[in-house]
Amino acid sequence: MSSQPRLTIPFAASASDARRRFLSPYSRRDFLGVSLASVLGVSFSGWLPKLAKAAESSPEARGKSCILLWMSGGPSQTDTFDLKPGHANGGPFREIGTAVPGIRISEHLPRVAKEMKDLAIIRSLSTKEGEHGLATQLMLTGYQPRQEAVRYPTLGSLISKEIGRNDNDLPNFVSLSPMRMGDAGFLGPNYAPLTVSGASDDPNARANLSLEDLAPPRDRDEASLKSQFDILRFMQQNFAANHASEAVRSHRASYAKAMRMVETQARQAFALEDEKPELRDAYGRNRFGQGCLLARRLVERGVAFVEVALTGTNNALGWDTHGDNFNQVQSLSEVLDPAWSTLMNDLRDRGLLESTMIVWMGEFGRTPRINPQNGRDHFPAAWSVVLGGAGIKGGQVIGRTSPSGEEVADRPVSVADVYATVCRGLGIDPWRENISPEGRPIRIVDSSGDAIEELVG
Amino acid sequence: MARCLVVAIVLLGLASPSATADDAVPPRRLTPQELADWIDQRFAEEYRRLGAAPAAIVDDATFLRRIYLDLQGRIPTVAQMRDFLADQTSFKRQDYVDRLLANDQPPERFAQRSSEHLGRVWRRMMVPASAPNAAMAPQLDPWLAQQFAENTPYDEFARKLLAAPAAANPQTPAMMGPDAGAAMFQQAVGPQPENLASAYVRVFLGVRIQCAQCHDHPMAAWSQNDFWGMAALLGAGAAAQNSPMPAPTIKPVTEDVAYTAKLLWSEEPLAEIPAGKSPRELLADWLVSPNNPNFAATAVNRTWQYLCGRGLVGSVDDLDQVSDEERKILDDLAKLFVDSGYDVAWLITGICKSKVYQQAAAGEPGGYGEGFVHRPLKTLLPEQVFDSLEQALNLPVARIDNGPRFNGERDQFVARMNESAAETPSDYKGGIPQALMLMNGKLTADATSLDNSRTLRAVIEAPFLADEEKIETLYMASLTRRPSEEEMAFLLEHVQSKKAPQERKQAYAEIFWGLLNSPEFVLSR
């Protein structure tokens, strides 16, 4: 991998923009810019000697990480990890064997099936929220949404606060999602995610999930950038002295992280073009596939928590298959299967799987009964999530649903149980308390939860 | 001011202001200045009750920036600032409020800009980022701007939004008359009855009932009957009949029960829809009625929240969670608003002319238990940030220049800011991508480029300006104020430490970059 930062030519945004630039007296500088960029690149690595060593440190030296694969809209358990062949609720999908004898999953997840030794399916999750917003809040915070004024932090904020490193040049929590997921709640701006939407008018940025505007303008040299930052810090300090408010702290926290990323050019984490084309193909040339690849690059650079959302191509709630469920689930599975399995292999190849936990879940499951639109509706009563990687004893199935899939038949599991399991797997004490701004101690995980011992014991 | 107040009190029999609400005095429309004095009087009471001191009144420059951002959606120019500071007339602040809202003389077209800006503000209130088709919401802007320009009474405004049938094809609302644009609201919040029910009730009544869609609400008093009863009225939309028709019903997809139309806060479902009314007209009559406890109060609370940073009553969407005592001032002000004929311009003018509006922002919310008496910093809306940058940078605004407003740059900028826009004015939610855009994006790059920046070149190349004056001009262009002594010393040192002319020029660019990226630029004091 080249350690030299690549500066892309900024803002080749639209035809009219390009035309304007061409007509402007400065257009010649666009050509010069190519060589200027390389000159500037050298000066960057001079500024940051750490850069060259970026991807080199050993996995042992790092803490653990967690990647959340978020299935937005609520994935159908009956058509992925808890099939009901032979039952009227079963639908047309066939079941296939996996790398673990006795565990069978959907025919449309053949490559994930091969990874089953490192994955554990929980088939008996039971929750109480059936509306997208509330259910998302529940699954992403581990706490029942309430009217009371506590803003519960999202999973990524909770986890990255515990295992993230303060000396990292990258934020400890990165969210790769076209929509906004959870936020840091009462933990405050220091634990908020860096959200990379992948949504952009710049086709290159979209395909690459790159972080736009990471490179400073070409006409600034290193000394000038440093002066800018010094002046800004002075102004921030002055303003904060007279206006001590949460908004000012949030602004400062975001800028501190952004400045650090500019200084280090985010250690090239977002330069997916540095990867072999074959590997990028294997992940899938779509936002979720490339998001999983980016997640690996981030974890490799010490990012503690990465969430990658699999949404629909046209809407934010891809798995919300009220109609035409089977065609939709099949095509979503065909995005999920290569991305997830390649991620597992890629992490394993780099010795990172044993330090990286994978969590697969959505906000709820879907009705086992098939509705007249050949769809499935919201169903929180009995559904599946999958855990794997670091700290999780794979190759197991926890719990069971009834033959119709409509009830939990064995070993009901709550959200808090899942959260406690994730924490234990990552070496975090689930009962440690965070203190809310009102001074109220709030446990990382709701005290009703118990870790699933079979998975982490 | 004090004299006005006395006059108002005498005129209105307001010796004991708490008597106003229930007083039998027939409704008389206050002037905006009387409204301002009424507000100040009520707040004075409140400060006494809380044993709190009101914050100081801000200086002219801060007031000017505030009023420009709130009404015009942008900061003032250096020239506008200088003119205002030089103005020696005694009611210049009050006059400026009138000017920005009512003066439509070219080239400034203040009134038009205010209408456009307030329309955008209202669109953001009405359609949250999480709405199903939030991306369509900006298509509402022209219609909303028109309503503010014409000062449509708020009850009529609500009726228009409610009466407009959901357009079968959202692409062609222009085909259907002057208020067709209103239909875009229903598209943006999702045209299904259940989406409409929660949207109308939240926007106009300040309560959230959507939790009751699937189950009776555990904390608030809402049941599924409440939710679906409202949804039933917003179904396909029967027309008015000559004879009474049965109350409409609705059957949720996920349930086997059908719910009959019911108005919120009533125990029983409707027996029938009377002759001559459609279900939606009946709903509109009830919604905007002066007897509806929340309609005028919600309008007032939202306006107050926008202008002063937080609602007169805590969360503007949870009006059902507060006691009568807590909403006393709000309800009294709402009553005056009803008496004004739901006059939105009157309300905005009155608030902006009050001393309460002119108080300095406190960093922390209150500290007195009831936060509304102190003004928080307000985070600029995405369009306010862009338009203020445009102003600070002296960018070409005219279409013919193909400036950033019209070549797609503004849309891109706003879209990125929208990814993490806050839902309430006192929150700052901007993350790293937003910071990076302001730090390194094309707009800032050009703004701080010695070759491209109009402001910077004007300042740097002005032969008659001393170093201090150059720094001062950059402050006025971006922050609408002069630098403090400490700031001047620090920055002067930065400039004068550079010996080479080019380096010295670059030092000004660095300062300007710092100003545009400072928290003070995006947080309104």
Side-chain angles (χ1 to χ4, degrees):
Chain A
M1 188 192 100
S2 156
S3 65
Q4 200 173 83
R6 252 173 239 197
L7 297 182
T8 50
I9 298 179
F11 266 95
S14 63
S16 72
D17 188 37
R19 193 168 55 243
R20 195 172 60 80
R21 291 164 69 81
F22 181 70
L23 292 173
S24 84
Y26 311 110
S27 59
R28 231 177 67 78
R29 300 174 67 217
D30 287 348
F31 297 97
L32 290 175
V34 178
S35 53
L36 280 177
S38 51
V39 172
L40 190 53
V42 172
S43 92
F44 265 120
S45 49
W47 191 10
L48 295 149
K50 273 191 290 185
L51 196 64
K53 295 183 285 180
E56 241 87 344
S57 62
S58 73
E60 290 77 22
R62 280 189 290 272
K64 288 184 171 165
S65 296
C66 181
I67 298 175
L68 167 63
L69 306 177
W70 178 253
M71 302 297 113
S72 179
S76 167
Q77 73 284 356
T78 320
D79 305 309
T80 51
F81 289 102
D82 190 11
L83 274 69
K84 298 295 178 187
H87 192 280
N89 290 349
F93 290 4
R94 287 184 305 125
E95 223 181 12
I96 57 167
T98 66
V100 178
I103 301 183
R104 298 170 70 76
I105 64 171
S106 156
E107 62 177 321
H108 298 299
L109 297 171
R111 294 171 62 183
V112 169
K114 295 204 178 85
E115 305 299 321
M116 198 47 72
K117 283 183 176 152
D118 286 312
L119 295 171
I121 306 171
I122 300 169
R123 284 183 175 156
S124 51
L125 180 62
S126 189
T127 55
K128 291 194 177 63
E129 294 294 349
E131 189 272 325
H132 291 289
L134 291 170
T136 300
Q137 213 181 320
L138 171 67
M139 293 309 295
L140 285 179
T141 63
Y143 277 87
Q144 202 66 39
R146 281 171 213 181
Q147 285 298 107
E148 63 182 295
V150 177
R151 289 167 56 225
Y152 293 105
T154 192
L155 180 62
S157 301
L158 289 168
I159 299 292
S160 59
K161 175 167 184 285
E162 299 302 317
I163 62 176
R165 297 187 323 193
N166 287 334
D167 61 347
N168 202 344
D169 294 329
L170 286 155
N172 282 314
F173 175 15
V174 180
S175 177
L176 307 175
S177 167
M179 78 237 174
R180 255 194 282 175
M181 295 178 58
D183 65 25
F186 69 75
L187 291 182
N190 280 324
Y191 303 100
L194 161 61
T195 301
V196 179
S197 67
S200 164
D201 284 347
D202 178 349
N204 292 319
R206 187 164 53 239
N208 291 332
L209 278 161
S210 73
L211 199 56
E212 288 171 75
D213 304 322
L214 190 57
R218 291 191 298 272
D219 58 4
R220 303 307 132 85
D221 62 16
E222 189 184 311
S224 190
L225 286 169
K226 192 174 170 305
S227 295
Q228 286 184 177
F229 287 3
D230 287 346
I231 290 169
L232 176 57
R233 289 193 184 102
F234 167 79
M235 290 174 177
Q236 285 176 328
Q237 217 163 350
N238 265 0
F239 193 68
N242 298 319
H243 298 88
S245 84
E246 191 62 21
V248 178
R249 281 191 287 276
S250 298
H251 184 274
R252 203 171 183 177
S254 287
Y255 264 82
K257 290 187 224 171
M259 286 193 274
R260 187 151 182 186
M261 288 182 70
V262 172
E263 286 167 349
T264 61
Q265 286 300 291
R267 297 163 64 198
Q268 293 298 94
F270 294 87
L272 293 185
E273 65 276 12
D274 288 349
E275 295 285 341
K276 288 199 185 86
E278 303 78 47
L279 186 64
R280 296 190 69 180
D281 293 343
Y283 271 98
R285 294 275 184 166
N286 51 67
R287 195 150 59 190
F288 181 73
Q290 300 301 297
C292 286
L293 171 56
L294 177 53
R296 190 222 79 211
R297 290 178 66 88
L298 291 166
V299 162
E300 219 170 13
R301 286 162 176 78
V303 173
F305 194 98
V306 185
E307 60 190 20
V308 192
L310 175 46
T311 61
T313 40
N314 298 317
N315 58 39
L317 300 174
W319 292 90
D320 196 22
T321 51
H322 289 286
D324 194 25
N325 172 73
F326 300 102
N327 286 324
Q328 290 197 56
V329 171
Q330 182 176 338
S331 67
L332 287 159
S333 298
E334 285 163 3
V335 171
L336 176 65
D337 190 53
W340 188 358
S341 57
T342 306
L343 176 63
M344 300 283 290
N345 278 303
D346 204 4
L347 288 170
R348 194 182 291 114
D349 289 349
R350 289 159 191 266
L352 290 167
L353 189 57
E354 50 198 51
S355 61
T356 308
M357 185 185 288
I358 309 286
V359 179
W360 179 91
M361 69 181 182
E363 64 263 43
F364 38 56
R366 305 205 78 81
T367 45
R369 218 185 303 177
I370 301 164
N371 73 23
Q373 289 79 43
N374 221 22
R376 298 185 190 270
D377 302 314
H378 304 178
F379 189 68
W383 56 291
S384 305
V385 298
V386 179
L387 305 179
I392 299 293
K393 290 182 183 152
Q396 302 187 68
V397 171
I398 303 296
R400 185 164 50 83
T401 53
S402 63
S404 71
E406 289 176 291
E407 298 93 32
V408 170
D410 181 39
R411 186 114 171 59
V413 169
S414 70
V415 187
D417 296 341
V418 173
Y419 267 58
T421 309
V422 168
C423 282
R424 283 272 302 280
L426 291 168
I428 299 167
D429 173 6
W431 315 131
R432 235 184 51 71
E433 288 168 342
N434 289 310
I435 306 296
S436 82
E438 296 78 33
R440 182 175 149 190
I442 294 171
R443 288 180 165 169
I444 296 174
V445 178
D446 189 297
S447 54
S448 66
D450 270 318
I452 300 169
E453 290 299 328
E454 301 94 301
L455 298 184
V456 293
Chain B
M1 284 288 292
R3 203 191 50 215
C4 289
L5 185 61
V6 172
V7 173
I9 290 170
V10 172
L11 274 175
L12 295 166
L14 289 185
S16 160
S18 56
T20 49
D22 310 305
D23 223 7
V25 175
R28 177 191 151 296
R29 188 188 151 100
L30 304 187
T31 67
Q33 186 58 53
E34 286 168 346
L35 171 61
D37 295 339
W38 181 92
I39 290 168
D40 290 337
Q41 171 71 13
R42 290 303 294 265
F43 268 71
E45 295 269 307
E46 203 60 23
Y47 290 120
R48 272 200 291 282
R49 195 175 67 74
L50 296 168
I57 301 292
V58 295
D59 62 21
D60 280 347
T62 308
F63 172 80
L64 192 72
R65 184 182 181 87
R66 188 180 282 181
I67 202 80
Y68 262 89
L69 280 169
D70 284 347
L71 300 182
Q72 296 276 288
R74 59 167 61 215
I75 58 174
T77 64
V78 176
Q80 285 160 340
M81 177 186 168
R82 287 191 196 280
D83 288 349
F84 187 67
L85 296 193
D87 185 349
Q88 297 295 318
T89 58
S90 36
F91 291 99
K92 66 177 183 178
R93 294 192 186 189
Q94 285 81 351
D95 292 347
Y96 223 98
V97 173
D98 291 330
R99 182 185 308 173
L100 293 188
L101 282 169
N103 185 338
D104 210 21
Q105 292 300 309
E108 289 93 352
R109 307 296 306 266
F110 286 129
Q112 186 191 328
R113 285 234 172 108
S114 288
S115 303
E116 288 169 358
H117 173 65
L118 291 168
R120 280 192 294 270
V121 169
W122 231 258
R123 179 249 297 168
R124 285 183 175 276
M125 276 181 200
M126 287 167 55
V127 187
S130 55
N133 301 315
M136 294 165 86
Q139 295 179 51
L140 251 176
D141 290 359
W143 182 82
L144 285 167
Q146 186 70 17
Q147 305 315 303
F148 279 96
E150 293 169 4
N151 195 24
T152 306
Y154 202 67
D155 56 341
E156 200 184 311
F157 173 77
R159 279 183 193 277
K160 286 179 175 185
L161 280 165
L162 199 51
N169 180 356
Q171 303 305 317
T172 57
M175 306 297 286
M176 304 178 305
D179 288 319
M184 194 50 69
F185 173 64
Q186 308 191 32
Q187 292 297 323
V189 297
Q192 291 79 22
E194 49 269 43
N195 294 336
L196 296 178
S198 34
Y200 283 112
V201 169
R202 185 190 69 80
V203 170
F204 289 111
L205 299 179
V207 295
R208 289 184 281 198
I209 58 170
Q210 64 266 36
C211 300
Q213 183 172 348
C214 308
H215 51 74
D216 291 352
H217 201 296
M219 307 294 166
W222 309 117
S223 70
Q224 281 182 283
N225 288 332
D226 290 318
F227 179 86
W228 290 102
M230 291 294 281
L233 286 163
L234 290 156
Q241 306 285 329
N242 290 329
S243 54
M245 61 178 127
T249 60
I250 190 168
K251 190 180 153 309
V253 186
T254 46
E255 291 185 54
D256 294 328
V257 224
Y259 294 89
T260 305
K262 185 181 91 64
L263 295 167
L264 225 51
W265 295 298
S266 82
E267 299 295 321
E268 294 301 318
L270 291 167
E272 58 176 34
I273 304 293
K277 292 273 178 208
S278 72
R280 279 183 177 228
E281 283 164 351
L282 177 128
L283 177 58
D285 287 348
W286 168 83
L287 183 81
V288 306
S289 157
N291 297 323
N292 186 321
N294 277 18
F295 178 72
T298 298
V300 168
N301 211 26
R302 290 190 184 288
T303 308
W304 192 278
Q305 182 193 40
Y306 169 64
L307 293 170
C308 299
R310 61 169 69 91
L312 276 169
V313 164
S315 165
V316 293
D317 292 332
D318 293 315
L319 221 46
D320 52 338
Q321 310 280 311
V322 295
S323 67
D324 289 353
E325 193 50 41
E326 286 171 284
R327 51 185 283 180
K328 189 82 174 77
I329 296 183
L330 175 64
D331 284 339
D332 290 351
L333 183 52
K335 176 140 192 322
L336 297 178
F337 180 55
V338 174
D339 294 345
S340 79
Y342 296 99
D343 186 335
V344 179
W346 170 88
L347 179 65
I348 293 173
T349 311
I351 294 173
C352 291
K353 288 184 174 182
S354 72
K355 284 184 184 160
V356 172
Y357 174 81
Q358 298 174 41
Q359 285 179 3
E364 293 289 346
Y368 299 103
E370 282 181 284
F372 76 89
V373 295
H374 283 270
R375 181 191 184 90
L377 295 173
K378 289 196 297 179
T379 301
L380 267 52
L381 298 171
E383 290 91 350
Q384 283 173 317
V385 180
F386 181 90
D387 294 359
S388 296
L389 278 170
E390 197 180 54
Q391 189 78 290
L393 309 182
N394 271 311
L395 291 178
V397 178
R399 193 177 286 269
I400 198 158
D401 273 317
N402 192 24
R405 177 173 288 258
F406 299 107
N407 68 9
E409 241 181 275
R410 184 181 200 258
D411 291 345
Q412 257 180 285
F413 183 96
V414 169
R416 167 79 1 116
M417 296 294 278
N418 275 343
E419 288 169 7
S420 64
E423 308 252 311
T424 57
S426 54
D427 283 342
Y428 176 86
K429 294 268 182 183
I432 295 170
Q434 290 70 37
L436 288 175
M437 178 171 69
L438 286 166
M439 289 163 66
N440 297 334
K442 181 171 182 303
L443 206 55
T444 316
D446 285 351
T448 54
S449 145
L450 294 175
D451 293 328
N452 294 355
S453 173
R454 296 182 180 205
T455 301
L456 208 49
R457 287 175 65 165
V459 169
I460 291 174
E461 287 163 18
F464 46 87
L465 289 182
D467 290 345
E468 286 89 342
E469 290 167 313
K470 290 179 180 177
I471 292 172
E472 187 177 87
T473 309
L474 291 177
Y475 261 80
M476 292 196 288
S478 52
L479 302 183
T480 326
R481 68 173 173 90
R482 299 199 162 93
S484 69
E485 273 177 40
E486 189 197 355
E487 287 166 331
M488 181 59 89
F490 179 85
L491 296 172
L492 205 54
E493 154 69 23
H494 176 65
V495 168
Q496 293 177 347
S497 68
K498 307 283 191 264
K499 297 301 169 219
Q502 189 64 18
E503 276 187 19
R504 193 166 272 211
K505 285 184 184 177
Q506 192 61 43
Y508 287 108
E510 290 151 9
I511 292 170
F512 199 37
W513 184 95
L515 289 166
L516 297 176
N517 278 282
S518 69
E520 192 171 345
F521 190 77
V522 292
L523 300 172
S524 172
R525 293 188 294 129

